[in-house]
Amino acid sequence: MREKKGAERINPYDSNREKGEQVEEMFDSIAPAYDFMNTAMTFGLHKRWRNKALKAAIANGKRKIRILDVATGTGDVAFRLHTMLPEAEITGIDLSQGMLDVADKKLKLLPEDARSLISFLKGDCLALPFKEDTFDLITVAYGVRNFENLGKGLQEMRRVLRKGGILCVIELSCPQGKITGMGYRLYSRHLIPFVGRMVSGDSRAYTYLPESIAAAPQRDDMAKIMMEAGFSHVDWKELTFGAVTYYLAK
């Protein structure tokens, strides 16, 4: 059996079940509060982080492209991509039906032309239900540390990405500065779990969050794993004192 590394070893609830099963259960549980908690935890900065990363990812100027948003959740990235590239065909995929139900409710509020270009489906990032060379751009926002097998998930995305395509990964990371690092640890390990329990009702989900962030590969370590998965070039950039890092892989 393959030895699990980094965040792969951190489970939301217990050590007796597969991580993927627990991640699905966790996101089903917190789906109603997810969007509110994202805004509250980041003071609204998550939108700024998302926009900067996506703007860098689509800098080639192509408009009529096929996009896959992995771990799409409530569809935040997919909907933003539609506003940036209104002619693109966008598919969001996620393990959690609870999260997808929220995304579908948002989708129904959009005009018909948008609904014809955006779709959501339930599926596993470790076995993507698409043929090779299908997408021009793949995005993953705050999802890769939840993968049961990070290397396999990256290889699957590489498989369905067309030659010359881009993978954009946005992920939370730990600030490296002495003062910012101390402040981040206090905030992430104490305030976030407390507020998360109060709002979502899930006593474990927002404790798992800082644990999985701390255990996940970051910056050069993440770039190395992406290269090992078959990508030819990886750049990364920190935002807000290193609390978030986005990666662009070709």
Side-chain angles (χ1 to χ4, degrees):
M1 181 180 295
R2 186 187 68 90
E3 180 183 358
K4 293 186 177 182
K5 301 178 181 179
E8 295 174 351
R9 299 178 289 102
I10 309 297
N11 292 329
Y13 298 116
D14 58 64
S15 59
N16 301 319
R17 296 175 293 155
E18 294 296 327
K19 178 168 183 172
E21 176 187 346
Q22 296 184 55
V23 167
E24 179 180 358
E25 178 184 341
M26 178 184 71
F27 281 110
D28 281 346
S29 171
I30 67 175
Y34 183 80
D35 286 338
F36 172 81
M37 282 299 300
N38 268 4
T39 300
M41 286 188 307
T42 67
F43 306 101
L45 287 172
H46 68 102
K47 294 180 180 179
R48 179 169 173 260
W49 299 333
R50 174 202 65 196
N51 293 346
K52 279 185 172 291
L54 296 182
K55 185 177 180 181
I58 62 175
N60 61 18
K62 292 182 180 179
R63 300 183 64 83
K64 292 185 178 181
I65 61 175
R66 294 193 68 183
I67 303 173
L68 175 65
D69 184 38
V70 174
T72 193
T74 62
D76 182 57
V77 170
F79 294 124
R80 180 56 184 164
L81 282 165
H82 175 70
T83 64
M84 299 172 80
L85 295 171
E87 298 176 64
E89 180 183 333
I90 304 167
T91 302
I93 188 168
D94 202 281
L95 273 176
S96 167
Q97 188 59 54
M99 298 287 274
L100 292 172
D101 288 343
V102 176
D104 282 329
K105 288 180 181 178
K106 294 178 183 179
L107 182 60
K108 290 176 181 177
L109 299 176
L110 296 183
E112 184 177 351
D113 59 339
R115 296 198 304 271
S116 68
L117 290 168
I118 304 170
S119 61
F120 297 105
L121 61 92
K122 189 175 188 297
D124 188 349
C125 64
L126 303 187
L128 293 171
F130 307 107
K131 296 180 180 180
E132 294 181 4
D133 308 320
T134 299
F135 299 97
D136 303 286
L137 170 65
I138 299 178
T139 56
V140 194
Y142 316 113
V144 295
R145 61 188 161 75
N146 298 318
F147 286 10
E148 189 169 315
N149 185 325
L150 176 57
K152 186 175 181 181
L154 289 168
Q155 288 169 7
E156 270 293 274
M157 289 185 282
R158 171 65 184 84
R159 179 183 66 81
V160 302
L161 194 62
R162 289 173 178 162
K163 183 177 180 181
I166 297 291
L167 169 65
C168 175
V169 173
I170 311 169
E171 192 53 87
L172 297 167
S173 50
C174 300
Q176 296 178 303
K178 185 176 181 180
I179 295 176
T180 54
M182 183 183 302
Y184 168 81
R185 288 189 293 273
L186 288 171
Y187 176 69
S188 65
R189 295 178 184 178
H190 299 284
L191 185 58
I192 286 179
F194 173 75
V195 175
R197 284 193 297 270
M198 296 292 290
V199 174
S200 73
D202 191 313
S203 62
R204 174 61 184 156
Y206 288 94
T207 302
Y208 162 79
L209 174 65
E211 291 177 358
S212 63
I213 295 169
Q218 299 175 16
R219 304 175 181 91
D220 284 338
D221 291 336
M222 177 66 82
K224 180 180 178 182
I225 293 172
M226 296 171 84
M227 294 284 284
E228 290 172 350
F231 291 93
S232 62
H233 185 77
V234 182
D235 289 318
W236 57 264
K237 184 175 182 179
E238 294 179 329
L239 301 173
T240 313
F241 306 107
V244 166
T245 306
Y246 70 82
Y247 306 82
L248 298 179
K250 298 180 181 180

